[in-house]
């Protein structure tokens, strides 16, 4: 097996190759004078895993080119973070279903797809090849166990994250609860307390994505007002749009941790082990 990645997922790809005992392929990336992407691989008429998170439009184009370069071997595609997946409904006539457009484009030339904690599993139906969604909840649970939190309260910021938070909490048999969130706009959410008692507790808010950080910041403020001893956060995909990471730390969130599905300095747990098991099991 060979592992090959875009520039955006090279650290995760190297970890997957090491974990699986597979070869990591060197790729040369450059641009044409007009700014268009170019790449060249040494590849490959072998079994291949193509790894590439879609974190913006450039990363999508680079991933499409890489898949095309490998398409002769009908690779497996690992899509650690699928950008554009949150436009998964047509709210107004004339809008695209962006998740569908991206899923269809990325299905072309690959034999199957793995995603990681996709925001809405309903998006998976838009792929035109077999697809499996992997979960990093056990990895996050293991990380929290190593981090020495004292009997933490694991909290989902909304209904949608409840089963994810329960899986994280199961790692240490910790208490688990959730808040109720209403999204007012792209940058603003309202959060109301559920039946938890955060007073004096080390609270860890867990979520699939931290994007603008507004969900987390609003929840953290509420929990501090309720007497939480500390508030920390752990997510799968650390997008941190518009300076969200710094804003969260500045507002008193003790620690903000993410996985390497998006490669960030705070990527302190890896998707590699979960991915290798997923690929071996298929
Ligand atoms: C929403 O349902 C997701 O699980 C996340 O809570 C959301 O995407 C986080 O976005 P933001 O950081 O912009 O509040």
């Amino acid at each position: 097996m060979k592992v090959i990645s875009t520039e955006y997922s090279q650290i995760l790809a190297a970890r997957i190759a090491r974990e699986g005992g597979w070869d990591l392929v060197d790729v040369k990336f450059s641009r044409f004078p007009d700014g268009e992407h170019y790449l060249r691989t040494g590849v490959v008429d072998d079994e291949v895993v193509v790894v590439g998170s879609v974190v913006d439009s450039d990363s999508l184009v680079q991933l499409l080119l890489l898949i095309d370069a490998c398409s002769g071997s009908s690779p497996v595609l690992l899509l650690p973070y699928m950008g554009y997946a949150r436009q998964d409904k047509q709210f107004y006539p004339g809008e695209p279903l962006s998740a569908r457009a991206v899923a269809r484009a990325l299905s072309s030339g690959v034999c199957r797809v793995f995603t990681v904690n996709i925001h809405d599993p309903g998006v998976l139906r838009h792929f035109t090849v077999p697809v499996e969604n992997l979960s990093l909840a056990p990895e996050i649970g293991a990380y929290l166990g190593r981090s020495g939190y004292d009997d933490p309260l694991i909290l989902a910021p909304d209904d949608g994250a409840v089963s994810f938070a329960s899986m994280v909490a199961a790692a240490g048999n910790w208490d688990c609860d959730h808040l109720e969130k209403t999204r007012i706009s792209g940058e603003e959410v309202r959060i109301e307390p559920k039946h938890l008692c955060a007073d004096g507790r080390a609270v860890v808010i867990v979520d699939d994505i931290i994007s603008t950080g507004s969900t987390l910041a609003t929840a953290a403020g509420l929990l501090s007002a309720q007497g939480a001893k500390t508030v920390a956060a752990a997510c799968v995909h650390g997008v941190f749009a518009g300076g969200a990471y710094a804003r969260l730390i500045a507002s008193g969130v003790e620690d903000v941790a993410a996985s390497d599905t998006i490669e960030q300095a705070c990527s302190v747990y890896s998707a590699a082990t979960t991915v290798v098991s997923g690929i071996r099991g298929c």
Side-chain angles (χ1 to χ4, degrees), residues 35-233:
E36 290 178 358
H37 285 278
Y38 171 80
L39 58 82
R40 195 161 117 212
T41 78
V43 166
V44 223
D45 48 11
D46 217 338
E47 282 190 304
V48 180
V49 184
V50 173
V51 185
S53 279
V54 174
V55 297
D56 57 21
S57 306
D58 280 325
S59 58
L60 174 59
V61 172
Q62 204 176 73
L63 182 56
L64 289 168
L65 297 182
L66 188 59
I67 291 170
D68 192 74
C70 300
S71 58
S73 50
S74 194
V76 170
L77 169 62
L78 169 65
L79 194 53
Y81 175 66
M82 182 181 169
Y84 288 97
R86 286 189 287 171
Q87 174 73 21
D88 54 2
K89 290 187 186 65
Q90 286 167 311
F91 297 94
Y92 300 101
E95 280 186 343
L97 225 166
S98 308
R100 179 179 61 196
V102 170
R104 283 180 179 170
L106 292 175
S107 297
S108 174
V110 304
C111 67
R112 66 184 304 128
V113 176
F114 288 92
T115 57
V116 180
N117 292 99
I118 193 120
H119 179 63
D120 172 8
V123 163
L124 301 178
R125 74 184 185 282
H126 298 307
F127 288 93
T128 58
V129 292
V131 57
E132 189 178 334
N133 187 40
L134 306 169
S135 177
L136 298 193
E139 284 295 339
I140 295 180
Y143 165 75
L144 297 179
R146 291 193 298 275
S147 301
Y149 287 102
D150 179 21
D151 189 26
L153 169 62
I154 308 300
L155 200 59
D158 54 32
D159 286 357
V162 168
S163 74
F164 177 68
S166 310
M167 284 173 70
V168 173
N173 209 16
W174 300 307
D175 292 343
C176 185
D177 205 338
H178 71 282
L179 298 168
E180 288 203 331
K181 176 173 90 175
T182 312
R183 185 164 282 284
I184 298 163
S185 70
E187 292 77 36
E188 205 185 342
V189 295
R190 186 176 63 236
I191 288 193
E192 286 150 296
K194 212 50 187 142
H195 41 77
L196 65 134
C197 178
D199 194 17
R201 304 286 305 265
V203 180
V204 183
I205 304 169
V206 296
D207 208 350
D208 58 342
I209 304 174
I210 300 174
S211 181
T212 64
S214 51
T215 300
L216 190 51
T218 310
L222 180 82
L223 291 160
S224 298
Q226 290 192 347
K229 186 169 69 176
T230 54
V231 179

